[in-house]
């Protein structure tokens, strides 16, 4: 008798909850008294999420009722590739049109043409974590690996909102670190609640892009 009903929405959502717990839990497998911005902490956590990025597709394959063409379902495909690249880029550029326009007219965008700017960025572990590892691992795990599991039993628009809620909840672990750093519980809760709100909204936007850029 099969222990897990792969066609069950409950099983699919539960699988995504478990994947969320594993992702967040991987950040805390290291025993350290250092802050999250300490170089050693950043290196260890980057390694943890890298391992999660390797394991997540295996997890996704197991919980898909039809694991054929798994990488295509995860967004790694040649079909409609131009659409998948161009449409999210245009929509996101439109979303940030205000700041982009201000930078253009102020001349601030010239800094991105300076090689030393990028060299200094790559030498800053906090920058690498915030701009490379965190976005890459989160989009891979919470979008590419999680959305196919949800889409097999939920409508696209429902999946667009269910997945991001888990994505937002995953950021509540920062509350513990803020309290540990001396922040009051009430203040930490307010900060984390705000972070939950905007990460959930962004997650919904990102998931929406994942759905509309799909060839199906």
């Amino acid at each position: 008798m099969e222990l897990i009903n792969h066609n069950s929405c409950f099983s699919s959502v539960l699988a995504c909850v478990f994947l969320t717990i594993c992702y967040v839990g991987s950040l805390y497998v290291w025993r350290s008294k250092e802050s999250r911005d300490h170089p050693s902490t950043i290196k260890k956590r980057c390694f943890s999420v890298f391992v999660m990025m390797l394991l997540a597709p295996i997890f996704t394959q197991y919980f898909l009722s039809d694991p054929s063409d798994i990488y295509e379902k995860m967004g790694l495909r040649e079909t409609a590739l131009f659409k998948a690249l161009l449409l999210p880029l245009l929509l996101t550029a439109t979303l940030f049109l205000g700041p982009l326009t201000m930078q253009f007219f102020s001349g601030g965008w010239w800094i991105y043409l300076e090689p030393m700017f990028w060299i200094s960025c790559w030498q800053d572990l906090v920058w690498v974590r915030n701009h490379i590892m965190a976005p890459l691992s989160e989009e891979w795990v919470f979008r590419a690996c999680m959305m196919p599991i949800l889409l097999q039993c939920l409508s696209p628009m429902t999946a667009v909102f269910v997945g991001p809620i888990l994505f937002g909840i995953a950021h509540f672990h920062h509350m513990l670190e803020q309290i540990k750093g001396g922040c009051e519980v009430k203040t930490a809760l307010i900060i984390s609640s705000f972070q939950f709100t905007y990460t959930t909204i962004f997650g919904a936007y990102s998931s929406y892009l994942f759905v509309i850029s799909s060839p199906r």
Side-chain angles (χ1 to χ4, degrees):
M1 179 181 294
E2 189 176 13
L3 296 178
I4 298 177
N5 181 4
H6 293 280
N7 295 316
S8 167
C9 273
F10 177 77
S11 296
S12 295
V13 174
L14 191 62
C16 292
V17 171
F18 182 72
L19 186 58
T20 301
I21 294 173
C22 289
Y23 181 88
V24 176
S26 71
L27 303 176
Y28 292 93
V29 296
W30 310 99
R31 292 184 176 273
S32 176
K33 295 182 180 180
E34 305 293 347
S35 69
R36 66 187 298 266
D37 291 334
H38 191 277
S40 64
T41 303
I42 294 176
K43 291 177 182 178
K44 291 174 181 177
R45 290 188 169 185
C46 284
F47 177 76
S48 292
V49 296
F50 176 73
V51 172
M52 278 301 304
M53 290 175 68
L54 296 178
L55 296 177
I58 301 174
F59 186 89
T60 301
Q61 184 175 26
Y62 179 76
F63 281 97
L64 282 178
S65 57
D66 179 16
S68 61
D69 300 324
I70 178 175
Y71 288 107
E72 182 172 335
K73 293 175 182 176
M74 292 170 59
L76 302 178
R77 55 182 176 266
E78 294 182 4
T79 307
L81 180 61
F82 181 75
K83 173 187 175 183
L85 293 175
L86 183 62
L87 187 58
L89 178 62
L90 291 177
L91 286 175
T92 305
T94 302
L95 181 65
F96 289 94
L97 189 59
L100 290 174
T101 302
M102 290 181 63
Q103 278 209 333
F104 177 79
F105 285 108
S106 67
W109 63 276
W110 278 102
I111 192 174
Y112 301 119
L113 301 179
E114 294 290 338
M116 288 306 301
F117 169 77
W118 295 107
I119 292 175
S120 63
C121 286
W122 279 102
Q123 291 175 342
D124 183 358
L125 287 178
V126 174
W127 186 92
V128 173
R129 178 197 63 194
N130 293 344
H131 294 84
I132 305 296
M133 285 305 298
L136 184 62
S137 63
E138 288 174 353
E139 293 307 309
W140 178 252
V141 173
F142 287 91
R143 242 65 68 188
C145 295
M146 191 176 291
M147 286 298 289
I149 299 176
L150 294 174
L151 287 170
Q152 69 181 346
C153 70
L154 299 176
S155 68
M157 287 301 100
T158 302
V160 160
F161 288 101
V162 172
I165 290 176
L166 297 176
F167 179 60
I169 292 174
H171 287 79
F172 263 106
H173 75 94
H174 292 301
M175 179 178 173
L176 300 177
E177 296 182 343
Q178 290 163 357
I179 295 174
K180 182 181 177 181
C183 186
E184 293 184 359
V185 175
K186 182 179 179 180
T187 303
L189 180 60
I190 293 174
I191 294 173
S192 295
S193 297
F194 176 74
Q195 190 174 26
F196 164 79
T197 301
Y198 76 72
T199 51
T200 300
I201 293 174
F202 176 80
Y205 168 72
S206 185
S207 298
Y208 175 72
L209 292 180
F210 181 88
V211 170
I212 65 173
S213 61
S214 171
R216 57 178 175 274

